[in-house]
């Protein structure tokens, strides 16, 4: 399968906005392969390499790890899947991530699925979930919100100008969100 033939949907939204939950449902209903950039990074961290440890430190500070690391993980995962329809969740986190993806993978996304949810709701969800993530503590959460506002919102704005963003309000139930999301895949 050549890369030119692949379809890529970027799924963006604040931490706790429901990216992973909705992606699992999209996979079940619409036959996409889902890769979470954060999950791939946590797996990379578990490798225990020096580079992995450096990434863990950045994630603990709510910072964005170097594009070369993330894009390589994504590219490898896409290639190894042998599939052609991809949901990429939690990426690109900044404009440099996006530029690197374009030059390495060779093409842009088809559209961006953007999950819009107020910060107070996100904070409650993150503190309430018990996934054992090292970064789900109030101190790191505040840093993740700031990084998101400063660096990820410009990515949404970039794609919005191109008319490529599908907006969904996600401060409602999983089922209500999925009903809205489904419409974009039918
Ligand atoms: N991260 C990153 N680049 C990415 C995706 C994630 O650097 O492309 C790091 C970043 O430090 C982020 C953390 O991984 O705060 C967790 O990301 P994830 O998408 O899992 O979680 P979210 O903050 O959206 O809940
Ligand atoms: Mg996630």
């Amino acid at each position: 399968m050549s890369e030119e033939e692949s379809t890529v949907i970027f799924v963006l939204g604040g931490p706790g906005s429901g990216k992973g939950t909705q992606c699992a449902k999209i996979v079940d209903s619409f036959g996409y392969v889902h890769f979470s950039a954060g999950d791939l990074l946590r797996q990379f961290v578990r490798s225990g390499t020096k580079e992995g440890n450096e990434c863990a430190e950045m994630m603990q500070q709510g910072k964005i790890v170097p594009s070369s690391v993330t894009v390589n993980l994504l590219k490898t995962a896409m290639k190894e899947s042998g599939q052609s329809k991809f949901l990429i969740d939690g990426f690109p986190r900044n404009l440099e991530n996006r530029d690197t993806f374009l030059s390495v993978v060779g093409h842009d996304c088809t559209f961006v699925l953007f999950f819009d949810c107020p910060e107070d709701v996100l904070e409650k969800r993150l503190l309430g979930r018990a996934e054992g993530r090292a970064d789900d503590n109030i101190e790191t959460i505040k840093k993740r919100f700031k990084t998101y506002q400063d660096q990820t919102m410009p990515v949404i704005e970039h794609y919005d100008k191109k008319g490529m963003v599908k907006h969904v309000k996600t401060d409602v139930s999983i089922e209500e969100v999925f009903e809205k999301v489904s419409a974009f895949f039918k």
Side-chain angles (χ1 to χ4, degrees), residues 14-16 18-21 34 36-39 42 89-90 93 129 131 133 144:
K19 301 184 293 288
T21 303
H34 168 219
S36 153
D39 287 349
R42 282 183 283 278
D89 132 31
R93 289 262 217 294
R129 75 184 182 188
E131 294 176 359
R133 271 176 54 172
R144 286 156 68 195

Side-chain angles (χ1 to χ4, degrees), residues 40-93:
L40 290 172
L41 285 169
R42 282 183 283 278
Q43 204 180 325
F44 179 62
V45 164
R46 286 196 291 274
S47 70
T49 58
K50 181 169 173 283
E51 208 180 14
N53 293 341
E54 285 164 5
C55 287
E57 180 58 33
M58 284 182 256
M59 290 162 80
Q60 194 59 33
Q61 295 303 319
K63 290 182 184 154
I64 297 163
V65 312
S67 296
S68 56
V69 175
T70 323
V71 172
N72 276 325
L73 291 170
L74 285 169
K75 190 186 166 137
T76 304
M78 288 164 74
K79 202 169 169 195
E80 284 178 354
S81 75
Q83 300 290 307
S84 65
K85 286 163 68 186
F86 302 103
L87 290 172
I88 298 188
D89 132 31
F91 178 93
R93 289 262 217 294

Side-chain angles (χ1 to χ4, degrees), residues 2-175:
S2 75
E3 277 147 13
E4 292 76 54
E5 290 170 77
S6 74
T7 300
V8 171
I9 315 291
F10 290 143
V11 184
L12 291 173
S17 60
K19 301 184 293 288
T21 303
Q22 294 296 326
C23 282
K25 294 176 78 70
I26 298 166
V27 167
D28 287 346
S29 298
F30 302 106
Y32 277 74
V33 179
H34 168 219
F35 293 118
S36 153
D39 287 349
L40 290 172
L41 285 169
R42 282 183 283 278
Q43 204 180 325
F44 179 62
V45 164
R46 286 196 291 274
S47 70
T49 58
K50 181 169 173 283
E51 208 180 14
N53 293 341
E54 285 164 5
C55 287
E57 180 58 33
M58 284 182 256
M59 290 162 80
Q60 194 59 33
Q61 295 303 319
K63 290 182 184 154
I64 297 163
V65 312
S67 296
S68 56
V69 175
T70 323
V71 172
N72 276 325
L73 291 170
L74 285 169
K75 190 186 166 137
T76 304
M78 288 164 74
K79 202 169 169 195
E80 284 178 354
S81 75
Q83 300 290 307
S84 65
K85 286 163 68 186
F86 302 103
L87 290 172
I88 298 188
D89 132 31
F91 178 93
R93 289 262 217 294
N94 60 18
L95 289 166
E96 199 238 325
N97 273 178
R98 184 233 171 222
D99 292 343
T100 306
F101 184 90
L102 250 70
S103 61
V104 172
V105 174
H107 65 84
D108 208 344
C109 63
T110 303
F111 62 82
V112 174
L113 188 56
F114 171 53
F115 291 162
D116 192 4
C117 191
E119 240 174 54
D120 57 324
V121 175
L122 298 179
E123 187 179 308
K124 275 200 205 88
R125 286 183 186 171
L126 294 172
L127 291 172
R129 75 184 182 188
E131 294 176 359
R133 271 176 54 172
D135 59 351
D136 279 347
N137 60 79
I138 190 67
E139 198 187 328
T140 308
I141 287 168
K142 296 287 184 201
K143 290 177 180 162
R144 286 156 68 195
F145 284 159
K146 179 157 174 38
T147 301
Y148 176 73
Q149 285 302 331
D150 294 349
Q151 300 193 55
T152 310
M153 282 312 291
V155 177
I156 314 291
E157 284 154 20
H158 165 87
Y159 283 112
D160 235 347
K161 281 190 203 126
K162 298 179 143 198
M164 290 170 72
V165 181
K166 315 284 187 197
H167 293 250
V168 184
K169 290 227 177 296
T170 62
D171 54 342
V172 292
S173 73
I174 292 171
E175 290 69 29

